[in-house]
Amino acid sequence: MQVCSSQILLPETPVKVDTTTIGNQMDLVDLIKLIFKKKKLIPKKRKENVNGPFITAIPSPGFAIATGVAGILPVNISFYTNKKEKGNLSFFNSNFQYTQYKQVLGFSLSNLFFGHDKWELIGDWRYYNFPTFTYGLGRSLSFDASDGIEYQHIRVYETVMHRIVPNIEMGIGYHFDYHWGIRDIDAEEGDITDFQHYGFSQHSTSSGLSLNFLYDTRNNANNPSLGTYLAIQFRTNQKVFGGTSSWNSFYIDARKYFSLPTRWHLEFALWGYVWLTLNGKPPYLDLPSIGWDTYNNTGRGYAMGRYRGNNMLYFETEFRFNIMRNGLLGGVVFGNLVSVSEWPGNNFRTVQPGGGLGLRIKLNKRTNSNSALDYGFGTEGSRGFSSNINEVF
């Protein structure tokens, strides 16, 4: 992802993990045990943990175009809230970072299942202290004509989903974004920026409710190889809830996964993402923008915020394969397309391509979670690494 982070619009809904081939798989923990294995006269048998919690916490360096080098502490805790029925995996997915550009980032994401997995509480809490760049609206500015900005940002999203029938959920949510201490550095030096044209303010608030629909048949949310994912959200942000302005938005997140019947674990994944402003005027930093989807994963090869407008269309495809048959190492090749509407107006005039390749290291064979390192490239010489815990989509 473009911010070096774990997989953080609707957060993903984990489904039952496929454990049929666990015995033939190897993960990073197995490798460490193999390397540091000590001989014992009488081996001790330990009861295998099959219910959780499954904890993954491996501090690591990271890199992304928007952050530079980053120190990352990801903590993933997965567990069954319904141990008898072994239904869906609940999780807390937290991530803390300090970056080369003196950015501080903290994420706390959660999916908790209740009532025989018929109810789900989805949380997305974040804090950013984020000096970075913006590149104007639409396709107006070149990559070199960036505009330095600084701000702090708090996000609090909570959504309650109810399973209507198998694989289909509906629910309501509350969404709050507050930006403050905003500085448009180039404007302070006398330049006229798109931020100023659009409407600059030192702080902004978006607050509102959402209606949500989810269809999910994936065999594993951490690293799906089969199934379909379709999330639709209508969000209304209103002054009556404390927002700076009133506006409505609409999201579609659609994904499809195919697995080829070979021993080498060959997969194709397709991802379509639509982010529209239906009416009203969102704050500049809440406009649809590349890299600012739920998990900050759109646009590998581009910096976060590289393309911003009232509306955004995005498509990505990825080919996944094992490098080692035991699943410890894998690889991906990916390509993407993005288009944002020009401003003022809503016309889509250009499409920006991107692509790249990546390496995968299996962290936990029971939850099928992995560590992802990707190198992406785009137009105008845009390129860089990004890292993830679990697959990008």
Side-chain angles (χ1 to χ4, degrees):
M1 74 197 279
Q2 303 307 310
V3 171
C4 303
S5 71
S6 64
Q7 285 197 308
I8 326 203
L9 70 302
L10 289 173
E12 309 244 14
T13 306
V15 294
K16 187 177 293 185
V17 178
D18 181 5
T19 60
T20 56
T21 60
I22 285 179
N24 298 323
Q25 296 294 295
M26 176 178 282
D27 58 22
L28 188 60
V29 174
D30 293 328
L31 180 62
I32 293 173
K33 288 180 179 179
L34 185 64
I35 294 174
F36 295 100
K37 184 177 181 180
K38 295 182 180 180
K39 295 182 179 180
K40 297 181 180 180
L41 296 177
I42 302 176
K44 294 182 179 180
K45 293 184 178 181
R46 294 184 179 181
K47 186 177 181 180
E48 190 174 12
N49 180 12
V50 296
N51 293 321
F54 308 107
I55 301 174
T56 304
I58 303 177
S60 64
F63 183 88
I65 299 173
T67 65
V69 178
I72 306 174
L73 176 60
V75 180
N76 180 278
I77 303 174
S78 300
F79 54 94
Y80 290 103
T81 51
N82 188 349
K83 295 181 180 180
K84 290 184 179 180
E85 297 179 12
K86 284 291 183 66
N88 294 332
L89 273 172
S90 296
F91 73 74
F92 288 96
N93 193 358
S94 300
N95 187 280
F96 308 95
Q97 302 178 31
Y98 183 77
T99 79
Q100 176 184 348
Y101 303 139
K102 299 181 179 179
Q103 300 156 329
V104 179
L105 303 94
F107 303 83
S108 181
L109 310 175
S110 59
N111 285 61
L112 304 176
F113 290 89
F114 303 98
H116 303 282
D117 293 344
K118 291 183 178 181
W119 291 91
E120 180 183 7
L121 180 64
I122 302 171
D124 181 355
W125 294 50
R126 310 188 193 189
Y127 168 76
Y128 294 84
N129 187 335
F130 206 59
T132 187
F133 295 94
T134 183
Y135 300 84
L137 296 170
R139 187 64 175 82
S140 59
L141 294 178
S142 69
F143 184 74
D144 294 329
S146 56
D147 175 17
I149 60 173
E150 294 181 4
Y151 61 86
Q152 295 186 70
H153 176 200
I154 284 181
R155 168 181 291 180
V156 178
Y157 291 0
E158 287 289 345
T159 303
V160 177
M161 301 292 288
H162 178 59
R163 188 176 69 199
I164 308 301
V165 296
N167 304 319
I168 294 180
E169 299 179 17
M170 297 185 69
I172 59 174
Y174 172 71
H175 307 266
F176 175 83
D177 286 283
Y178 176 55
H179 296 82
W180 76 98
I182 303 172
R183 295 180 58 200
D184 187 347
I185 297 173
D186 284 27
E188 292 176 1
E189 296 174 355
D191 293 342
I192 303 299
T193 66
D194 277 6
F195 201 163
Q196 299 294 317
H197 281 302
Y198 184 82
F200 175 81
S201 176
Q202 292 182 340
H203 58 85
S204 68
T205 303
S206 293
S207 179
L209 304 177
S210 69
L211 297 176
N212 304 275
F213 170 86
L214 177 65
Y215 173 72
D216 190 357
T217 63
R218 295 172 300 172
N219 61 339
N220 184 297
N222 293 326
N223 186 357
S225 59
L226 293 170
T228 301
Y229 177 88
L230 174 64
I232 301 174
Q233 181 185 90
F234 169 77
R235 177 176 166 183
T236 179
N237 305 271
Q238 301 295 324
K239 289 183 179 181
V240 69
F241 298 124
T244 302
S245 59
S246 295
W247 52 281
N248 296 318
S249 57
F250 183 71
Y251 309 82
I252 299 176
D253 185 341
R255 313 176 189 188
K256 181 65 178 177
Y257 303 91
F258 305 90
S259 182
L260 301 181
T262 70
R263 293 180 298 175
W264 288 96
H265 189 72
L266 303 180
E267 300 171 2
F268 285 98
L270 305 174
W271 182 20
Y273 194 86
V274 177
W275 185 357
L276 306 177
T277 303
L278 300 180
N279 53 55
K281 187 176 182 180
Y284 183 87
L285 294 174
D286 290 327
L287 283 167
S289 179
I290 197 74
W292 281 104
D293 56 290
T294 302
Y295 291 97
N296 308 111
N297 282 332
T298 51
R300 280 180 285 180
Y302 291 104
M304 293 174 66
R306 175 64 186 94
Y307 298 109
R308 186 186 305 267
N310 278 328
N311 304 293
M312 185 179 85
L313 305 177
Y314 183 80
F315 175 76
E316 181 163 331
T317 184
E318 187 170 81
F319 174 60
R320 303 170 182 171
F321 53 91
N322 273 354
I323 296 175
M324 299 176 64
R325 286 177 59 182
N326 62 14
L328 179 62
L329 291 180
V332 303
V333 178
F334 61 88
N336 55 58
L337 299 170
V338 61
S339 182
V340 296
S341 59
E342 299 298 327
W343 185 85
N346 289 303
N347 294 325
F348 292 93
R349 296 180 180 176
T350 61
V351 176
Q352 304 302 322
L357 49 88
L359 181 69
R360 301 292 181 265
I361 302 174
K362 183 159 292 184
L363 299 178
N364 189 314
K365 63 188 179 185
R366 290 205 167 275
T367 61
N368 213 18
S369 61
N370 59 18
S371 176
L373 177 64
D374 295 317
Y375 181 79
F377 51 86
T379 58
E380 300 184 47
S382 179
R383 61 174 63 89
F385 287 95
S386 60
S387 60
N388 245 333
I389 299 297
N390 295 327
E391 284 299 335
V392 171
F393 69 95

